[in-house]
């Protein structure tokens, strides 16, 4: 197995020490897209790890930084990692082999083990039990979403649907991309035999701040891709859930015009899968 057709794309902001620890662990060429760090990340990585390609951004563009990295890569497959995650030894090559063997597969989501104790991320249990089943042309349970720090993508498919965008940003950026890939006929699958290690950084946003950011992303994604009744449900849920979710709704308001310009509601077949995953009755 070889990693000759894989590039690792990492986006980061103000996580210099995490990067100096995690970047040497990658077994393929690395593109680091730095989201306007102010802690000396760019110079530190260039000095300590000259083999890493560093692309400094003039401002923090969130997950769109990954799209910049994918455009820079020239390999057919791109593995994402965060500054505090890395693929297990041998598994970049193993994942690329699975991608080659399954031409409809656009996103492979690996098993994610958290921390030194290697706890299985609960989201992996959900993905393994996906009610969408395992189609014969996919290597594992079908998905309608994924976790970016543990995913490998087919570069052409990723770019054909626009990659991550400048509206949703981060976190919660995966939903819109997954919906667009499904609309285009691509498959996404959970593959338990491939592993990503995630050792969460100590420099993480407070839980309330993360809830706010996720709420903002849900509102904007709904505006771009979901039918009007679902947009209403997302807004009402944000208003009812709590302070951070309401703040996320408020923070989404400046980007509503941009979201509406990009509005392309998903087709009925994809919406049916969304309802199935949410255990909703058919409309």
């Amino acid at each position: 197995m070889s990693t000759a057709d894989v590039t690792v794309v990492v986006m980061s902001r103000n996580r210099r020490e995490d990067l100096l620890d995690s970047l040497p662990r990658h077994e393929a060429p690395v593109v680091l897209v730095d989201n306007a760090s102010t802690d000396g990340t760019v110079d530190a990585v260039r000095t300590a790890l000259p083999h890493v390609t560093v692309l400094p951004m003039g401002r923090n563009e969130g997950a769109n930084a990954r799209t910049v990295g994918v455009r820079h890569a020239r390999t057919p497959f791109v593995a994402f990692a965060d500054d505090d995650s890395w693929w297990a030894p041998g598994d970049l090559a193993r994942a690329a082999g699975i991608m080659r063997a399954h031409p409809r597969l656009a996103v492979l989501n690996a098993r994610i083990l958290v921390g030194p104790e290697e706890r299985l991320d609960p989201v992996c249990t959900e993905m393994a039990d996906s009610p969408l089943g395992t189609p014969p042309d996919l290597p594992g349970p079908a998905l309608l979403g994924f976790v970016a720090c543990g995913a490998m993508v087919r570069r052409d498919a990723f770019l054909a649907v626009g990659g991550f965008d400048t509206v949703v940003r981060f976190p919660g950026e995966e939903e819109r991309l997954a919906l667009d890939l499904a609309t285009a006929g691509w498959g996404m699958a959970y593959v338990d035999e491939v592993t990503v290690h995630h050792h969460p950084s100590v420099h993480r946003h407070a839980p309330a701040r993360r809830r706010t950011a996720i709420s903002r992303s849900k509102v904007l994604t709904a505006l771009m891709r979901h039918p009007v009744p679902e947009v209403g449900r997302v807004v009402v849920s944000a208003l009812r859930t709590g302070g951070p979710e309401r703040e996320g709704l408020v923070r989404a308001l400046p980007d509503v015009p941009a979201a509406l310009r990009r509005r392309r509601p998903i087709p009925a077949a994809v919406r049916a899968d969304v309802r199935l995953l949410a255990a909703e009755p058919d409309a």
Side-chain angles (χ1 to χ4, degrees):
M1 292 185 292
S2 169
T3 59
D5 49 5
V6 179
T7 302
V8 178
V9 168
V10 180
M11 75 167 185
S12 185
R13 175 175 166 81
N14 290 335
R15 297 272 189 89
R16 180 184 60 194
E17 299 308 317
D18 293 309
L19 287 166
L20 294 176
D21 176 65
S22 65
L23 291 179
R25 301 175 186 262
H26 298 304
E27 296 179 329
V30 179
V31 175
L32 167 65
V33 188
D34 182 79
N35 263 327
S37 290
T38 58
D39 66 348
T41 288
V42 171
D43 290 341
V45 172
R46 283 176 170 168
T47 299
L49 303 167
H51 61 285
V52 173
T53 299
V54 182
L55 304 179
M57 303 288 281
R59 61 178 183 174
N60 181 5
E61 294 195 10
N64 185 56
R66 291 197 190 101
T67 305
V68 172
V70 174
R71 289 197 184 104
H72 185 87
R74 291 295 181 264
T75 52
F77 310 121
V78 175
F80 293 130
D82 285 349
D83 39 45
D84 54 4
S85 73
W86 58 90
W87 291 68
D91 279 5
L92 282 173
R94 184 172 293 108
I98 294 170
M99 298 286 286
R100 285 192 295 271
H102 297 84
R104 192 172 73 88
L105 182 64
V107 179
L108 181 156
N109 206 118
R111 176 178 62 158
I112 301 171
L113 299 181
V114 181
E117 64 277 21
E118 299 192 338
R119 293 176 288 105
L120 182 67
D121 191 314
V123 74
C124 293
T125 302
E126 296 180 19
M127 290 190 288
D129 294 335
S130 170
L132 299 179
T134 302
D137 60 349
L138 294 182
L143 305 175
L144 200 51
F146 59 96
V147 181
C149 75
M152 180 177 287
V153 301
R154 192 176 300 273
R155 180 178 182 272
D156 288 350
F158 176 90
L159 292 177
V161 299
F164 297 117
D165 59 61
T166 56
V167 178
V168 176
R169 295 199 284 274
F170 177 86
E173 71 277 14
E174 297 95 341
E175 181 185 0
R176 193 235 88 225
L177 177 62
L179 293 172
D180 285 359
L181 286 168
T183 297
W186 289 101
M188 293 156 276
Y190 174 67
V191 179
D192 192 67
E193 305 88 69
V194 180
T195 298
V196 165
H197 294 283
H198 180 207
H199 289 202
S201 173
V202 297
H203 307 292
R204 296 174 68 81
H205 295 319
R209 183 176 175 185
R210 183 173 179 83
R211 284 170 54 191
T212 293
I214 290 174
S215 174
R216 175 190 172 278
S217 295
K218 286 180 70 68
V219 170
L220 293 171
T221 299
L223 282 170
M224 285 193 282
R225 295 295 180 263
H226 288 296
V228 171
E230 176 61 19
V231 176
R233 283 193 288 270
V234 169
V235 170
V236 170
S237 176
L239 289 171
R240 290 177 175 175
T241 302
E245 286 73 19
R246 287 193 293 272
E247 183 179 352
L249 177 59
V250 172
R251 292 193 178 187
L253 294 178
D255 292 291
V256 165
L260 291 175
R261 286 195 297 271
R262 292 166 170 82
R263 180 167 171 78
R264 295 193 305 274
I266 55 177
V270 177
R271 178 60 190 152
D273 284 346
V274 172
R275 289 196 299 269
L276 181 60
L277 288 167
E280 295 178 8
D282 288 338

